[in-house]
Amino acid sequence: MSRIAFFPGSFDPFTAGHKNILIRALTMFDEVVVGVGVNIGKKGHYTTEQKVEIARASVADLKNVKVIAYDSLTIDCCRSMGIKHIVRGVRNMIDFETERSIADANRRIAPEIETVIIPTSQEYAHISSTAVRDIIRHGGDTSLFMVPGVELPKLKF
């Protein structure tokens, strides 16, 4: 029986930090499904289709990774695919407290699904999708924050 994990996020866009978490998750799981979710609490800059395309390009060199879009509760998506583990990455203690709260709520609703929180490697801890979008907005170079070779669609602000 293979161990499959779900790595959900808004991924607006998918960064080198996200890939770092994914690579490390692959040391624990046989397969990881990257779930590009619709989060009404976050103003998306890229369309869902663009976010999926960026994520797929970013992970094209990895085996046992699938990228999907989903528009439901994360635990419902996991249940529908028979996935028992959620992977979340954190950059700092603020992220950890947020992710822990979400994991606690998910555990109350779906006790059969466990969350694994992975701290980002230090060299990626400064990277956030928000910072990437801000750099783009001001015409800066995002290459230090993105997976090498992945082109971002132009944003309209």
Side-chain angles (χ1 to χ4, degrees):
M1 182 167 132
S2 65
R3 294 175 60 92
I4 303 171
F6 191 64
F7 181 26
S10 54
F11 302 117
D12 192 28
F14 191 95
T15 67
H18 294 128
K19 186 169 183 178
N20 173 256
I21 296 298
L22 178 59
I23 289 168
R24 294 170 61 218
L26 286 167
T27 68
M28 296 177 254
F29 298 96
D30 301 313
E31 180 182 344
V32 177
V33 177
V34 176
V36 178
V38 177
N39 183 341
I40 60 169
K42 290 185 176 182
K43 182 192 178 304
H45 291 278
Y46 290 105
T47 66
T48 300
E49 294 78 20
Q50 287 173 316
K51 290 187 273 187
V52 167
E53 186 177 305
I54 294 165
R56 284 184 178 148
S58 298
V59 305
D61 62 321
L62 299 177
K63 294 179 180 172
N64 302 325
V65 175
K66 179 168 48 172
V67 179
I68 65 164
Y70 75 104
D71 187 10
S72 64
L73 287 176
T74 298
I75 56 171
D76 289 341
C77 188
C78 288
R79 282 176 170 160
S80 73
M81 292 187 291
I83 294 175
K84 302 291 184 192
H85 296 90
I86 296 170
V87 169
R88 297 296 297 169
V90 296
R91 294 169 294 169
N92 52 45
M93 288 307 292
I94 295 167
D95 284 356
F96 177 80
E97 288 300 327
T98 300
E99 293 301 336
R100 184 176 135 194
S101 294
I102 294 168
D104 289 345
N106 284 343
R107 191 176 307 105
R108 297 269 304 178
I109 298 167
E112 76 278 12
I113 299 173
E114 190 58 58
T115 299
V116 176
I117 297 175
I118 302 174
T120 304
S121 295
Q122 180 137 12
E123 65 265 32
Y124 300 102
H126 66 285
I127 300 174
S128 72
S129 294
T130 302
V132 169
R133 291 190 309 270
D134 198 42
I135 292 167
I136 293 168
R137 181 180 296 118
H138 293 24
D141 178 10
T142 61
S143 62
L144 294 175
F145 303 90
M146 301 303 297
V147 175
V150 175
E151 295 289 325
L152 294 175
K154 299 294 181 202
L155 285 174
K156 295 177 184 175
F157 293 98

